[in-house]
Amino acid sequence: FLGPRSLVAQPNLLRVPLPLKPSSLRFSSTTGAGSSSSSTPGNNGDSSEKKKAADDDDDSNVFLDNLGKIFGLCILSIVLMVVRSSRGSTNRGNVRDEIEDTAVLDPVEIEDMRSLNEEFSADLFRKVVGEVYSKFPEECTYKEFLSTTMSTLRKATKDPTFSIQVGHNIDRVVFSLPQYHDEKTYPNSLFLTVLTMAVYSTVNDRIKLIFEIAARQS
């Protein structure tokens, strides 16, 4: 019944591929989508936990990572403080030496003069100030100043022999004034300020006396 051609063509019929069922395709695609979607939340959760752990590690290691820098800054601050203190002490010493070199009297001489004139108090000095300004409103010569000062002190103490001990130190300061002359007049505040070196009182009291003199002169 079948001819030779049909027998030859029969094997070709066996080579035709069979079509896949649609249901199996839908099942595989659905399964794949489900597996991929189910794996995504797990991966996101792991990555967020890892990131949080890394941030915690970074926060906890900030001090340790910069320990060398912090230690170096502390050492540098200490060195700067020492250098600044040393320079300040040197500057103060230089200023003190310059003042002592240019000063007419040594601080020890001034202190000795005060200790020898215990009776020359701040109240007694104020009496001298009032008498000087009553006689000479603005200026006077050094001789006039000395005469008024000694007469006021002897009258106030009721001692005709009263005098300022080692008073030649005051003369030395006055005579060191530029272009000093016995007949030349100077402001009363100048002579009175020099006289405060002999007043037996505290530093604060002497400062107050100088302010009082300045107030009168102005």
Side-chain angles (χ1 to χ4, degrees):
F1 178 77
L2 297 175
R5 294 181 179 178
S6 61
L7 292 175
V8 175
Q10 189 175 1
N12 294 332
L13 296 175
L14 297 177
R15 296 177 183 177
V16 176
L18 296 176
L20 295 176
K21 294 181 179 180
S23 60
S24 63
L25 291 175
R26 283 195 295 268
F27 178 78
S28 62
S29 62
T30 304
T31 304
S35 61
S36 62
S37 62
S38 62
S39 61
T40 303
N43 293 335
N44 292 336
D46 294 341
S47 61
S48 62
E49 290 179 359
K50 290 180 180 180
K51 183 177 180 181
K52 183 177 180 181
D55 293 339
D56 294 340
D57 293 340
D58 292 340
D59 294 339
S60 62
N61 293 332
V62 169
F63 179 78
L64 296 177
D65 293 342
N66 298 280
L67 184 61
K69 296 180 180 179
I70 296 173
F71 182 75
L73 289 175
C74 293
I75 296 298
L76 181 61
S77 301
I78 295 173
V79 171
L80 290 176
M81 290 175 62
V82 172
V83 171
R84 182 178 180 182
S85 177
S86 177
R87 288 184 177 179
S89 300
T90 303
N91 293 335
R92 287 195 297 271
N94 293 335
V95 172
R96 184 178 62 250
D97 294 341
E98 184 178 357
I99 293 174
E100 291 179 355
D101 292 339
T102 57
V104 179
L105 297 180
D106 189 87
V108 177
E109 293 179 305
I110 299 174
E111 188 64 30
D112 291 341
M113 182 169 59
R114 292 195 189 108
S115 62
L116 292 174
N117 291 279
E118 295 182 1
E119 297 181 2
F120 191 21
S121 62
D123 294 335
L124 198 56
F125 177 82
R126 288 188 175 94
K127 293 181 180 180
V128 174
V129 173
E131 190 67 21
V132 169
Y133 275 101
S134 64
K135 290 185 177 181
F136 313 102
E138 293 183 2
E139 296 182 348
C140 64
T141 63
Y142 185 54
K143 289 182 178 180
E144 293 171 339
F145 175 77
L146 284 180
S147 177
T148 303
T149 299
M150 297 312 301
S151 64
T152 303
L153 292 175
R154 289 169 181 174
K155 182 179 179 180
T157 59
K158 298 180 181 180
D159 184 2
T161 62
F162 182 88
S163 63
I164 297 176
Q165 302 299 319
V166 293
H168 62 274
N169 289 331
I170 297 176
D171 297 338
R172 287 168 55 190
V173 176
V174 174
F175 296 159
S176 66
L177 295 173
Q179 300 178 353
Y180 172 79
H181 193 273
D182 291 340
E183 302 301 328
K184 185 178 180 179
T185 60
Y186 294 88
N188 298 336
S189 58
L190 175 62
F191 295 138
L192 290 170
T193 302
V194 175
L195 187 61
T196 57
M197 293 189 300
V199 177
Y200 186 77
S201 64
T202 62
V203 176
N204 291 334
D205 290 339
R206 288 195 296 273
I207 293 174
K208 290 179 181 179
L209 293 175
I210 293 175
F211 273 106
E212 292 174 7
I213 296 170
R216 282 179 174 268
Q217 190 68 29
S218 59

